[in-house]
Amino acid sequence: MKKNWLITTLAILIALPTLAQPLTAAERTKAIDLFQKTKAAVLKSVTGLSSAQLAFKADPTRWSIADCLEHIALSEVDIFNWQQGAAQGPADASRRGEVKLTDEEVVSLMTNRSGKANAPEVLKPSGKFPTTDAALQTFVQQRDKTIEYLKTTPEELRTHYWKHPMGLLDTYQALLLLAAHSERHRQQIEEVKTSPGFPK
């Protein structure tokens, strides 16, 4: 009887999902460094620009720097909220095999502007902020909130998932994508600044 009980117990334990593990120190450091580096880069790109420079469009179909900043700010809030929603609920280690991209590939694909993408309607610039400074303030406040979350969260982000057009990501990768997203549009800002006719 004891032997049967022991075999049954071991079988149940083997069948249980792997216990959730919080982020490693290396994962936290990598993500926090990326968020801090890309935040500083955005701020550097727009510091000292005039109203005319912020509003300039290379052509009517292109975004201005102000448009880019609005999109960055909106995305900073909404993508974080989407990530938080995806991180709720029980972990599911059985889906790990569905995640095909490495962390490095997520960042590389997001920052590579050779591939164009259309933003969801909710994230398209449409004058949602009263000023560009207000958009920039929202970006900074949310970015700092996300960094603090990364420093302290006990959540297991590798076994929760977020469906994105580039593929299924775990919710740690969703945060890396968010940090890389601002860099993608910082590059766009620099493209606007080098356009013919950009105000001096």
Side-chain angles (χ1 to χ4, degrees):
M1 179 67 85
K2 275 188 176 181
K3 185 176 180 183
N4 289 340
W5 177 85
L6 180 60
I7 291 171
T8 302
T9 302
L10 287 173
I12 291 171
L13 288 174
I14 290 169
L16 287 174
T18 303
L19 291 176
Q21 297 293 323
L23 295 177
T24 66
E27 287 170 331
R28 289 184 199 275
T29 297
K30 179 168 73 172
I32 289 167
D33 285 351
L34 184 61
F35 272 98
Q36 290 175 333
K37 177 182 175 182
T38 53
K39 172 189 169 184
V42 169
L43 294 177
K44 182 178 179 181
S45 282
V46 300
T47 296
L49 295 181
S50 68
S51 297
Q53 289 171 323
L54 290 169
F56 171 82
K57 292 187 177 185
D59 69 59
T61 67
R62 307 289 291 277
W63 286 2
S64 66
I65 293 174
D67 290 336
C68 291
L69 284 173
E70 180 181 349
H71 174 68
I72 289 170
L74 292 172
S75 300
E76 198 74 16
V77 174
D78 283 4
I79 293 175
F80 180 76
N81 288 339
W82 296 337
Q83 183 274 343
Q84 290 287 281
Q88 301 307 307
D92 186 357
S94 70
R95 299 190 69 193
R96 280 300 308 163
E98 297 177 44
V99 177
K100 303 302 183 184
L101 296 174
T102 66
D103 297 348
E104 291 71 25
E105 286 170 335
V106 170
V107 173
S108 178
L109 286 169
M110 178 51 65
T111 55
N112 182 359
R113 283 189 47 77
S114 65
K116 302 300 181 182
N118 288 321
E121 285 298 321
V122 69
L123 300 183
K124 289 182 178 178
S126 60
K128 294 182 178 72
F129 295 97
T131 64
T132 300
D133 282 345
L136 198 58
Q137 184 178 21
T138 295
F139 164 69
V140 170
Q141 289 175 344
Q142 181 60 53
R143 178 58 59 102
D144 291 344
K145 176 182 174 181
T146 305
I147 291 170
E148 187 59 30
Y149 168 77
L150 275 163
K151 288 178 179 178
T152 60
T153 182
E155 294 172 0
E156 205 308 293
L157 301 181
R158 291 296 197 178
T159 52
H160 294 83
Y161 309 94
W162 183 48
K163 189 166 178 57
H164 186 271
M166 69 172 65
L168 188 72
L169 308 178
D170 66 47
T171 51
Y172 175 76
Q173 291 178 321
L175 291 173
L176 297 181
L177 177 143
L178 175 56
H181 177 268
S182 66
E183 171 58 19
R184 178 183 183 88
H185 292 285
R186 184 203 66 81
Q187 294 174 22
Q188 186 177 6
I189 288 169
E190 293 302 317
E191 290 167 10
V192 175
K193 288 161 70 174
T194 60
S195 299
F198 184 73
K200 300 302 182 185

